[in-house]
Amino acid sequence: MLARLADILLFQAGFNTAVVTAGTTLLGIAAGIVGIFVVLRRRALVADAVSHGTLPGVALAFLGAVALGMEGRSLPVLLTGAAVTGVLAVLTVQWIRDNTRLPEDAAIGTVLSVFFGVGVVLLSHIQTLPGGGQAGLETFLLGAAATMNRAEAVTIAVAAIVALAAVALLHKEFAVLAFDHDWAAARGWHTRLLDLALMALLVLVVIIGLKAVGLVLVIALVIVPPATARLWCGRIGPMTLLAGAFGGIAGWAGTAASALFADLPAGAVIVLVAAGMFGASLLVAPERGAFATLLRTARQRRALAARAMHEAG
Amino acid sequence: MTPPPVTIVDSERPAPWAIAPDVPLALRGLTVAYRATPALWNVDWDAPAGAMSAIVGPNGAGKSTLLKSVLGLVPTLAGEVRVFGAPLAKARGDVAYVPQRNAVDWDFPASALDVVAMGLYGRIGWCRPVRRRHREAARARLAEVGMADLADRQIGELSGGQQQRVFIARALAQQARLVMLDEPFAGVDAATEHALVTVLRGLAATGVAVVAVHHDLATLADTFDHALLLNVRRIAAGPVSEVLTEEALQRAYGGRLAPTQLRALARAV
C-alpha cells in the first residue's frame, strides 16, 4: 500500500492518476496564491458566498443542456453555469450591503444559504428525472477528484495556470488595493476594476475547485493555506509563495490519499491535509507559533525578574 | 440639518477655467452632500504654494470630506476643483495623499520600505516589478523622515508616530507638488509631531503646497501659515493670524467653545 502511495505521489500510478494529481496540485497552488489577496482584502467570507452560489448554476446548466439535447454532464457547461450564479451571488451581496442597512456578514449569510437552498431543490428535482441520478451532480458538493477524467483535469490545470499568470502580473497592485484602498483610488487607479479582477480570479479558482474539492469545502483551500503562510513570515512576497506551496501540497497529498482509499472524498482529505499543516504551523512556526511565543515570553519574564532583583540589590 | 439658503454666485470671482496654473489647489463653489445632507456648501478657496495650509473646523464641519472630494474619493454635487489649473483627472501625478493613520490595517504583511515603495508605483508602472534602484530610492525617502534604521521593520511593529512617518515618506516618494494629509498629527506625541512638522516644513520650503486637515486650534498658529476655517461653509480663510479672530471662531464653533476659550485662542495668535 505504501508502495502504491509513493507511486501516486511521484506521478507513477498511471497516466490518468498522474494528470488528476497534477491538476489538483495546480489548483491548490492557485487557490493559495489568489487566497492571500482575498484574505488580505477581507473577502474571505465573500469567497464562501461564491462557492455556495455556484450550486444553482450547476443544476440549471445541467437542466438547460439536457433541454437543448446536449450532454448535461459536460464539465465546461456545468462550470459556466456555476460561474454565472457564483458571480450573481457576489453581486447580490454587494447590492444588499450598499442599499440596505444590513451589514456585509448578514448579507453574505442570507445570500449563501438562499442560493444553496435553491441549488439543493434543483438537485433533488434532477434526481427524479430519468437518468438524473446518474448525472453525478452531487459530487460537486464534496468533490470527487478520483473520478475526474483526463480532459477535466487538464481544464482545471489550464485555468489554474491562467489565474497564476494574472496574479504574477498584478500582485503589486492587488497588495496596494488590500492595504490602502483609498490611497490607490486617490492616485486615480480604477480600484473598482481591480477589485473586479480579484473577484474574477476568486470565482475562477472556486469553480475549478468544485469538481475536485466540492463547493462546501473549496473555501478552505482559499483561506487555510494563506492563514498557514501568515504564521511563518511577515512579508507579502514570501508569504504568497508559501501559501501557494501549502495549497499545492494539500492538493497533491490529498488527491493521492483519496486515490488510495476509494471511499474517501478527495475534498475532505485535501482540506484535512491543509488543516494539518495549519495546526502544525500554529505550534512550531518560529516567532508566531504558540511554542515560540510561550518560550519568548518566559525568557523575557525571567530577564525582567532578574533585572528587578538586581535593581533591588 | 436644514440646508443653507442658496447663495448667488459672486460674479467677481474668477471662473474655474481662468485659474492660473500656479495655484496648487483652487475650489470654486465646492458642494458635497451625503444623501440629502450637505457636508460642504459652496466653498471657495485657494491653497498657496510653498506654504503649510490647515483645514480647521469643528467635528462634522466637512474637513475630511473636503480632502476626499478634492481627491475624487467622494463625488461632488456642484462646484469645481482645479489642481494647478487643471481638472483632477489631468493632475493626479501632482497630488500625494496621506490618509488617516487608522484608515489602514497595520497588521498588513509589509515592511516600512515596502509601503514607501508604493509611492514609486506611478513611475514603476503597472505589472512591472520593484527593482533595486526603486528600493534604494524608497530607503532615501525613509532616511529623510529619520527612519533609515527601521526600513526593514514590519509596519505593525512601528509606533504610531513611526507609522505616520512611513506614510509621509511614501508621499515624498511620489514627488508631488501638492501634498494633502488627513489629521497627520492625530495620536502622536508632541516630540513626534515636532519632527513631522519639520519634515513638512522642509517640503513646503521647496515650493510644495502642504494641505492638512487639523483639529487642534492650540497648535495651529505654530504649525501652519494659512488656514481655511470651515463649518460646512467657508467661515474664513487666509494667513492664520487673520483667520483666528474671535468673531470667526464664534461663527465656526459657536456653542461648542466657551466664550473665555474663544477669547484665549484668539489672543494666543
Side-chain angles (χ1 to χ4, degrees):
Chain A
M1 179 139 97
L2 278 177
R4 165 116 177 104
L5 181 65
D7 280 347
I8 297 169
L9 289 175
L10 296 171
F11 301 98
Q12 303 293 318
F15 189 66
N16 206 53
T17 313
V19 171
V20 168
T21 311
T24 49
T25 305
L26 275 168
L27 162 69
I29 294 172
I33 284 180
V34 170
I36 279 280
F37 298 96
V38 171
V39 169
L40 287 175
R41 183 83 182 99
R42 298 178 184 276
R43 290 291 185 271
L45 279 177
V46 177
D48 213 14
V50 173
S51 62
H52 283 75
T54 56
L55 188 58
V58 170
L60 286 173
F62 177 81
L63 289 172
V66 170
L68 293 172
M70 289 156 58
E71 170 55 73
R73 281 175 299 175
S74 141
L75 192 63
V77 170
L78 296 178
L79 292 191
T80 306
V84 169
T85 56
V87 169
L88 197 64
V90 179
L91 294 178
T92 313
V93 167
Q94 282 173 355
W95 187 88
I96 291 176
R97 183 194 62 202
D98 295 341
N99 292 287
T100 73
R101 312 189 77 165
L102 276 185
E104 189 169 39
D105 57 344
I108 289 171
T110 309
V111 169
L112 179 157
S113 39
V114 168
F115 272 70
F116 190 65
V118 170
V120 169
V121 167
L122 289 172
L123 219 55
S124 319
H125 170 66
I126 289 170
Q127 299 289 329
T128 67
L129 297 178
Q134 284 81 52
L137 294 192
E138 68 284 348
T139 60
F140 283 90
L141 287 176
L142 290 172
T147 68
M148 278 198 298
N149 63 37
R150 195 174 302 172
E152 290 171 342
V154 169
T155 307
I156 288 172
V158 170
I161 289 168
V162 169
L164 288 172
V167 175
L169 279 176
L170 285 171
H171 66 97
K172 186 164 111 274
E173 286 72 22
F174 283 150
V176 175
L177 181 77
F179 174 60
D180 200 346
H181 174 272
D182 273 2
W183 183 81
R187 301 212 57 173
W189 288 15
H190 294 281
T191 50
R192 209 170 247 281
L193 219 60
L194 211 49
D195 253 334
L196 265 175
L198 184 57
M199 275 301 120
L201 288 179
L202 173 64
V203 170
L204 185 64
V205 165
V206 164
I207 66 163
I208 61 173
L210 290 182
K211 186 75 188 178
V213 186
L215 64 88
V216 178
L217 293 174
V218 70
I219 183 176
L221 214 45
V222 177
I223 296 173
V224 178
T228 312
R230 235 188 147 154
L231 291 168
W232 287 90
C233 54
R235 300 275 304 280
I236 191 166
M239 193 180 284
T240 307
L241 298 179
L242 260 186
F246 288 137
I249 291 171
W252 172 63
T255 311
S258 74
L260 205 56
F261 307 101
D263 304 342
L264 281 179
V269 179
I270 289 173
V271 170
L272 285 179
V273 173
M277 286 187 286
F278 176 76
S281 304
L282 203 55
L283 293 178
V284 304
E287 295 204 25
R288 283 151 226 263
F291 284 151
T293 308
L294 271 177
L295 283 175
R296 193 170 53 242
T297 312
R299 200 170 55 238
Q300 286 165 345
R301 285 178 64 86
R302 268 202 310 279
L304 275 181
R307 220 173 75 201
M309 271 168 66
H310 179 74
E311 282 185 19
Chain B
M1 194 196 292
T2 52
V6 176
T7 50
I8 305 300
V9 173
D10 180 1
S11 60
E12 292 288 304
R13 73 187 179 195
W17 50 90
I19 292 165
D22 59 349
V23 179
L25 174 64
L27 314 179
R28 294 292 176 270
L30 182 64
T31 300
V32 177
Y34 291 114
R35 296 190 187 271
T37 310
L40 285 175
W41 193 263
N42 209 7
V43 175
D44 291 352
W45 187 47
D46 283 2
M52 303 260 295
S53 304
I55 302 168
V56 285
N59 287 338
K63 304 187 293 289
S64 287
T65 302
L66 188 147
L67 218 63
K68 288 186 173 162
S69 61
V70 166
L71 293 161
L73 303 178
V74 170
T76 59
L77 195 62
E80 296 278 349
V81 174
R82 287 289 186 278
V83 176
F84 295 102
L88 179 68
K90 295 208 172 93
R92 293 270 192 195
D94 281 324
V95 192
Y97 171 48
V98 179
Q100 275 191 37
R101 190 165 48 85
N102 61 14
V104 304
D105 174 12
W106 291 93
D107 283 335
F108 193 86
S111 66
L113 192 71
D114 293 336
V115 174
V116 177
M118 291 177 187
L120 299 164
Y121 283 9
R123 253 163 295 151
I124 296 171
W126 280 62
C127 307
R128 305 179 94 95
V130 179
R131 299 196 184 282
R132 179 185 290 274
R133 61 193 153 93
H134 302 126
R135 304 185 68 78
E136 290 317 312
R139 207 174 282 278
R141 300 291 86 76
L142 270 171
E144 284 174 38
V145 297
M147 291 269 297
D149 298 342
L150 300 172
D152 298 312
R153 187 72 66 86
Q154 184 77 29
I155 52 172
E157 295 167 3
L158 300 172
S159 72
Q162 289 165 343
Q163 291 171 347
Q164 193 66 58
R165 287 179 204 220
V166 169
F167 261 7
I168 289 176
R170 179 175 66 172
L172 294 179
Q174 288 179 250
Q175 295 185 337
R177 292 190 287 162
L178 168 63
V179 177
M180 306 196 72
L181 309 96
D182 200 348
E183 302 253 9
F185 311 124
V188 303
D189 58 45
T192 305
E193 174 163 350
H194 184 75
L196 295 176
V197 169
T198 306
V199 170
L200 293 176
R201 283 222 157 274
L203 195 59
T206 65
V208 171
V210 177
V211 175
V213 168
H214 192 66
H215 72 278
D216 189 357
L217 288 174
T219 58
L220 186 62
D222 292 338
T223 310
F224 292 94
D225 313 307
H226 280 253
L228 165 65
L229 183 57
L230 202 64
N231 191 355
V232 182
R233 301 151 176 261
R234 162 181 164 151
I235 306 292
V240 172
S241 56
E242 291 173 23
V243 169
L244 282 187
T245 63
E246 202 180 320
E247 189 255 333
L249 290 172
Q250 181 63 46
R251 279 174 60 206
Y253 288 85
R256 298 185 204 219
L257 292 176
T260 49
Q261 285 175 305
L262 285 173
R263 264 195 298 280
L265 274 170
R267 248 202 321 273
V269 178

